[in-house]
Amino acid sequence: MIYLQKGLRNNKLAEINTDLSDWQWLIKQMAIKAPFVNSIEKANRYKRNQAEFIITGKLEGQQRNDTSLKNRSIIFFDIDNTNGDDYKASVHHIESVLKDIVYLIYPTISNGYKGTRLRVAIPTDQSFNADQRAKIGTYLTQLLPENWETDLTSYRSNWSQLAGMSVLNAFSLEHNDQPVINDIAEFLNLKKIPIQDNLITMNPLHKQTTSPIEQMQRTGDQSWQDITNNALTNLVNPPESNRHTYYSSLVGSLLFMKTKPSVIDTLLFWSNEHSNNPLAKDELERTIKSVSRTAERRQQING
């Protein structure tokens, strides 16, 4: 089922009545042209009042929240930073690593209006729940370059997060950044993704790093002090690979604990300095800012 919402200020979802599947409906939608969106202010205003957002899956009732959303049929994730690659180069890379999977890559609008923001939509062969969504996201983002930043890198997005539709703003229209679709492959087969303990896990070709937030989710009976200690312990032993993913997750964990931004900066820069393979300072700064902005937007949207 497809649920549409127009503008982030409006909290009402409209159920789309169609005989098409969720995926067939999505790929038939034309990119909306918004040539007047050429600044941060106009981008934010457009998203608040005019932009279209969807959820594909099953909702119980019309109230969107993490409890009422039972499953999804398409996984969406934004690529917030491609480490200097432009839209066409980024699309080409995504095409090469996802060539065996059906996907839609399309331009959308970033709050910061920093050019063309990429969004990727991938249909699955069966519906998936909130826990599986994080695991699928891990698998997919591990296929992308390590120094790219995605919305699902640290899985701070709420389960019921909306996905924006394709929008061509002034920048993307100028550079002719069009949606790209691969519909000759297969839907992402969840059974083919590496399985461990009956849960979808990341590609075994990549080193698996357990994030502090995942550890906290498994230790619900621990005291707040123990949870905090677990997160801080991970700061002491940063990994040599998957560093963006790891530090993004740490930022999310520290935000979850309502840590002050200045303290987060101090902790992560200290951890990075003690890493055997530290990130460049500007890369770490972008990672912290990206996750923090995403968390702030989620809080504003979902209250």
Side-chain angles (χ1 to χ4, degrees):
M1 187 63 66
I2 303 157
Y3 305 88
L4 179 70
Q5 176 176 312
K6 187 170 183 178
L8 293 175
R9 281 185 173 177
N10 173 26
N11 198 30
K12 295 182 179 180
L13 292 171
E15 186 176 314
I16 303 297
N17 294 316
T18 176
D19 293 331
L20 300 174
S21 69
D22 293 355
W23 181 249
Q24 289 172 331
W25 180 89
L26 178 64
I27 62 177
K28 285 182 177 295
Q29 306 310 302
M30 302 295 292
I32 300 171
K33 294 183 178 181
F36 58 89
V37 177
N38 59 7
S39 68
I40 293 175
E41 292 77 15
K42 290 180 180 179
N44 289 335
R45 192 180 309 129
Y46 179 83
K47 293 183 76 169
R48 287 196 304 269
N49 301 307
Q50 295 176 257
E52 294 184 347
F53 300 86
I54 62 169
I55 283 184
T56 60
K58 178 176 174 56
L59 270 173
E60 287 190 351
Q62 298 296 305
Q63 186 65 36
R64 177 178 64 88
N65 56 54
D66 288 352
T67 301
S68 62
L69 181 59
K70 299 305 179 182
N71 60 59
R72 286 179 177 267
S73 59
I74 300 171
I75 187 166
F76 294 86
F77 59 96
D78 297 330
I79 297 178
D80 294 315
N81 190 307
T82 57
N83 200 37
D85 291 343
D86 62 16
Y87 183 83
K88 291 178 174 59
S90 302
V91 167
H92 179 72
H93 195 105
I94 296 170
E95 289 176 311
S96 66
V97 298
L98 300 183
K99 59 182 182 298
D100 297 325
I101 303 173
V102 169
Y103 58 75
L104 173 64
I105 306 168
Y106 61 91
T108 183
I109 289 182
S110 166
N111 282 5
Y113 190 72
K114 51 188 177 184
T116 300
R117 186 187 200 185
L118 283 168
R119 178 167 286 130
V120 182
I122 296 176
T124 56
D125 66 337
Q126 56 185 285
S127 60
F128 54 90
N129 60 29
D131 180 70
Q132 290 174 312
R133 169 179 173 263
K135 308 301 180 182
I136 298 167
T138 301
Y139 171 76
L140 292 172
T141 55
Q142 290 297 311
L143 300 177
L144 300 174
E146 181 183 317
N147 56 8
W148 283 14
E149 296 176 15
T150 77
D151 174 65
L152 284 176
T153 295
S154 56
Y155 313 115
R156 296 286 72 79
S157 300
N158 290 326
W159 163 235
S160 59
Q161 179 65 31
L162 295 164
M165 298 291 285
S166 180
V167 178
L168 294 167
N169 63 15
F171 185 94
S172 49
L173 280 169
E174 178 184 353
H175 292 81
N176 195 30
D177 296 337
Q178 296 291 331
V180 175
I181 184 173
N182 174 27
D183 59 356
I184 60 173
E186 297 180 352
F187 280 19
L188 180 62
N189 188 331
L190 301 191
K191 291 183 178 179
K192 290 184 178 180
I193 296 177
I195 300 294
Q196 180 178 347
D197 296 329
N198 296 321
L199 291 176
I200 303 169
T201 59
M202 70 175 65
N203 191 323
L205 295 178
H206 298 269
K207 181 179 179 181
Q208 183 166 352
T209 303
T210 302
S211 71
I213 193 66
E214 291 170 328
Q215 294 174 3
M216 286 191 287
Q217 290 170 342
R218 291 198 297 267
T219 56
D221 296 330
Q222 289 184 340
S223 68
W224 180 258
Q225 290 84 352
D226 287 340
I227 293 173
T228 304
N229 287 337
N230 286 337
L232 296 179
T233 298
N234 281 276
L235 285 164
V236 180
N237 298 303
E240 295 185 23
S241 61
N242 299 321
R243 295 160 298 160
H244 288 85
T245 299
Y246 194 79
Y247 283 123
S248 294
S249 189
L250 273 174
V251 175
S253 298
L254 293 168
L255 288 171
F256 173 82
M257 294 186 290
K258 302 188 183 304
T259 308
K260 291 182 179 179
S262 60
V263 176
I264 292 177
D265 289 347
T266 299
L267 290 173
L268 264 70
F269 278 107
W270 176 89
S271 176
N272 189 52
E273 289 172 0
H274 289 78
S275 170
N276 291 330
N277 185 24
L279 288 172
K281 181 180 178 180
D282 60 339
E283 290 185 44
L284 184 57
E285 287 177 343
R286 285 199 301 268
T287 298
I288 295 173
K289 290 179 181 178
S290 176
V291 177
S292 299
R293 285 196 302 265
T294 299
E296 184 179 357
R297 290 199 300 270
R298 301 299 183 258
Q299 186 174 8
Q300 290 174 347
I301 293 170
N302 296 281

